[in-house]
Amino acid sequence: DLERRSMGPPFHDGGADSGHVTSIKEGFGFIRPLNDRRTGGGGLFFHFSALVGRDVPVEGDEVSFSVELDRRSGREAAKAVTILPRGTLPAPARAVTVRAVVQRELRGARGGDGYGGRLAVLKGDGPPAEGDAAAGDGGQDDDEQTEVVSFDARGCERPSALHVGDLVECRLMSVAGSRQRAASRVKLIEAGGGLPRQSGRVASLKDKFGFLRTAGKAADLFFHLSEAPREGGPLRVGDDVSFCVVLDPRSRKDAATKLRRLPAGSVALEQLGEA
């Protein structure tokens, strides 16, 4: 319209053929298309060989491109990437940095092609998405709402290092055309650091492992001694501890991890069904 034309560079409504450069690596980068939900927050890959002209874009640059199937990865990639004048595209939505917990690990390849991951954003970290239940719309369970966002390997610092329960830091961006958000720049803060802590008592000890008696479980819970606290000397039968529960990759059963000592008497006999 006339008002837009009078303000400067021509306004581009966008589409799958335009967007903003989100990150630049050595020889390649990623673009966040304006109106494309397919990238899951990780961005659309492009190689420097796909650039039009000699200028290398920087983070935040506005670009146009075409989309083709990359022969090596078998996934979509940007081709004919052309840097546009500043102001050609509408400004991208403001990103916020938050902490989150890995709720579902990446599917498919564990490298750069992993997809379908989910993160649960910690309560109080960053403003909620517009229209999200976490924004406080008068629902009965507002205090229990946790926003769940998607991520893929292209938006991760080390995708193969992420597992369920890990505490991570990430950036949230709105997904064009929806009220959802997606995560990018996912970085591990603490392995297993987002898991809830439980309490129990050391029931038995072996050479390299032991078992905990815990509330609500008929069978004792396995733990490896490498997960025992280092301070205060070796664990003994009868010690009270707190811990997190993870799925052991070998046995595919629950196991205790990140054990911490508790003061004697912290765990009541009633909790363990021993009263």
Side-chain angles (χ1 to χ4, degrees), residues 98-106 116-122 146-152 155-156 162-172 181-187:
V98 299
R99 294 175 304 152
V101 178
V102 178
Q103 189 180 76
R104 187 172 72 188
E105 296 178 12
L106 293 170
R118 288 181 181 172
L119 303 176
V121 179
L122 294 183
T146 302
E147 183 182 359
V148 176
V149 298
S150 63
F151 74 99
D152 64 27
C156 298
L162 298 180
H163 302 282
V164 171
D166 287 350
L167 182 65
V168 300
E169 181 182 86
C170 63
R171 295 185 68 183
L172 294 185
R181 295 193 286 187
S184 63
R185 300 189 185 181
V186 182
K187 178 175 65 176

Side-chain angles (χ1 to χ4, degrees), residues 142-226:
D142 280 352
D143 292 340
E144 301 301 323
Q145 295 287 346
T146 302
E147 183 182 359
V148 176
V149 298
S150 63
F151 74 99
D152 64 27
R154 292 172 292 182
C156 298
E157 188 176 82
R158 293 177 58 203
S160 61
L162 298 180
H163 302 282
V164 171
D166 287 350
L167 182 65
V168 300
E169 181 182 86
C170 63
R171 295 185 68 183
L172 294 185
M173 294 286 290
S174 298
V175 176
S178 79
R179 293 180 175 180
Q180 297 178 340
R181 295 193 286 187
S184 63
R185 300 189 185 181
V186 182
K187 178 175 65 176
L188 178 66
I189 297 177
E190 181 184 356
L195 294 170
R197 297 198 69 81
Q198 305 179 32
S199 58
R201 180 167 295 164
V202 179
S204 62
L205 290 169
K206 307 296 182 181
D207 184 27
K208 295 182 179 180
F209 60 93
F211 291 90
L212 302 177
R213 190 147 300 146
T214 64
K217 287 185 177 293
D220 290 342
L221 187 65
F222 170 88
F223 71 93
H224 196 276
L225 285 179
S226 61

